Amino acid sequence: MARRHIQRAHTASVAGATLVEGGITTAIDDATSVTASTTTPALRVETVETNTMSGPIMVPVRRPLGDTGMATHPLALGGSTFGWTLGRNEAFDVLDRFAGVGGDLVDTADSYAAGRSECILGSWMRDRNTRDRMRVMTKVGRHPDHRGLAPVDIRAAVDDSLQRLGTDRIDVLFFHGDDPEVPLEESLGEVDALITAGKVLAIGAADFSPERLIEARVLAANGLPRFELLTTRYNLMERKPFEGATELVAHAQGLAVLPYFALANGFLGGQVRRRADVRHDARGHRVAKHLGRRGHRVLAAVDEIAFAHGVQPASIALAWLLAKPTVVAPVASATRPDQVEALIAAASVELHRSELVELDRASA
């Protein structure tokens, strides 16, 4: 029988100099700690004094997004469900909770629900007046109207995304997969023009091979824009595609890695443990593939560690990713507001070395 997980309250203290960054006043102290037990390592936190959704709150210290000059909460909310399994009101509820607990990084794409994800996110930012405190990441290359990475398609796709998002800028633009039919220098050249125009602030690659990442870095050395981020499928159940050459290149290039499907389509949340638990929809079929001996072994390890830390299994699965040196912020989706706390809590979990070894062993 699975153990019952109870979220423990953390006691925190904050002191030190006041800093102002982008309209958000924070009080930070290098010695600030969050104490969960006598064996939990100290965690640096900061107080957000002007959180639009909730007033003063305490959050983990934000992490830099590579060399973009931007810093964010170490958890990105995935918007792939907006307009697909979540309607406008349900997505608004999730976004409200995410922003209310300090989240500020949202990941979407022009192809998610044929653009409806961007529309919903844009409507929420406009309705809640939150654009200036959120970091928006979107992707181009797979929308039916603008497939591929030809300059004309990138230009049109970005303009359409800006319109759907209701903003004048995209914080991070990802190439949504490689396009071998278009020379990479042409695609990067178009992005250079978009950066100069202020429509795009930074760029990243989604699911690029190590070889293409190396090629992109050579082109950047010759003056073209540089990939600062990499998003790729990576979680406890799916390790091989990233670990190895891709991870080595990402580390060598200083790329900020944002793993998507960080909870293996929700499997690592622990709600599906038998075939009878599987929903009969697209997400359910994706989860079902993880059921089996290895999946149960991973969930057992996650359960044990989650119980020890007093958090939900999802928090441990994300904390394992955050312990990786190249990972800056996992990308995870929520279908209900109450699921957001488990995602955000991951940044406050410091896994011990023995726990990391156990998770590595169980998921090997």
Side-chain angles (χ1 to χ4, degrees):
M1 180 179 295
R3 298 194 182 193
R4 180 169 176 263
H5 298 279
I6 301 174
Q7 188 81 35
R8 293 175 182 163
H10 296 293
T11 302
S13 62
V14 178
T18 297
L19 303 177
V20 179
E21 297 178 354
I24 298 178
T25 305
T26 59
I28 304 175
D29 182 359
D30 286 342
T32 299
S33 64
V34 175
T35 306
S37 69
T38 56
T39 60
T40 300
L43 297 173
R44 293 186 65 227
V45 297
E46 58 184 290
T47 301
V48 179
E49 300 287 357
T50 56
N51 186 296
T52 304
M53 305 301 297
S54 62
I57 59 172
M58 188 171 293
V59 298
V61 169
R62 289 168 290 176
R63 293 184 171 193
L65 280 177
D67 292 328
T68 64
M70 294 179 273
T72 68
H73 185 282
L75 186 284
L77 181 67
S80 62
T81 57
F82 301 164
W84 178 36
T85 58
L86 294 187
R88 182 180 186 274
N89 293 338
E90 293 84 359
F92 271 38
D93 290 342
V94 168
L95 286 162
D96 283 346
R97 184 69 64 88
F98 180 66
V101 294
D104 57 7
L105 183 62
V106 183
D107 174 75
T108 184
D110 67 354
S111 60
Y112 291 168
R116 291 191 297 276
S117 175
E118 290 182 329
C119 288
I120 289 173
L121 176 58
S123 296
W124 176 81
M125 290 190 295
R126 183 169 55 254
D127 189 74
R128 303 298 197 257
N129 193 29
T130 53
R131 176 62 185 98
D132 288 339
R133 69 168 300 268
M134 305 304 291
R135 296 296 187 185
V136 176
M137 305 186 297
T138 194
K139 311 176 193 73
V140 297
R142 293 186 183 175
H143 192 280
D145 295 337
H146 309 296
R147 288 196 179 277
L149 299 176
V152 63
D153 288 310
I154 292 176
R155 188 181 317 120
V158 166
D159 285 340
D160 286 354
S161 288
L162 289 171
Q163 183 174 4
R164 285 190 291 264
L165 290 164
T167 185
D168 62 349
R169 68 198 184 279
I170 294 168
D171 295 300
V172 180
L173 179 71
F174 283 94
F175 286 174
H176 204 172
D178 197 0
D179 184 353
E181 301 300 318
V182 179
L184 192 53
E185 56 265 33
E186 292 184 10
S187 302
L188 292 173
E190 179 57 36
V191 169
D192 192 26
L194 293 169
I195 292 174
T196 301
K199 295 181 178 181
V200 172
L201 303 187
I203 62 168
D207 295 319
F208 268 47
S209 69
E211 294 77 17
R212 287 290 262 182
L213 290 173
I214 292 171
E215 180 184 350
R217 184 51 57 92
V218 172
L219 293 170
N222 289 305
L224 288 172
R226 167 183 168 179
F227 287 140
E228 301 286 357
L229 300 92
L230 171 69
T231 185
T232 186
R233 183 191 298 257
Y234 185 41
N235 56 64
L236 275 165
M237 296 303 300
E238 298 167 294
R239 295 174 54 182
K240 290 183 179 179
F242 175 70
E243 293 179 355
T246 302
E247 185 176 22
L248 287 172
V249 171
H251 187 271
Q253 295 187 357
L255 296 175
V257 176
L258 290 81
Y260 67 83
F261 289 157
L263 293 176
N265 295 111
F267 175 77
L268 294 169
Q271 301 303 309
V272 176
R273 297 171 184 266
R274 302 173 303 165
R275 294 286 172 183
D277 298 329
V278 176
R279 291 165 40 186
H280 297 290
D281 57 19
R283 289 179 65 86
H285 291 313
R286 293 176 182 178
V287 172
K289 71 178 184 179
H290 299 303
L291 289 171
R293 182 177 299 177
R294 179 170 174 264
H296 289 302
R297 185 172 69 239
V298 170
L299 286 182
V302 168
D303 283 341
E304 191 70 25
I305 296 169
F307 184 81
H309 286 267
V311 298
Q312 298 297 317
S315 303
I316 298 303
L318 296 175
W320 177 81
L321 286 169
L322 284 168
K324 302 299 180 181
T326 57
V327 172
V328 170
V331 180
S333 300
T335 57
R336 303 188 312 271
D338 60 280
Q339 295 175 342
V340 172
E341 275 78 3
L343 306 182
I344 291 290
S348 298
V349 175
E350 288 283 334
L351 295 176
H352 302 292
R353 181 175 179 81
S354 59
E355 294 169 335
L356 291 170
V357 169
E358 175 59 20
L359 291 169
D360 285 343
R361 184 199 63 78
S363 60

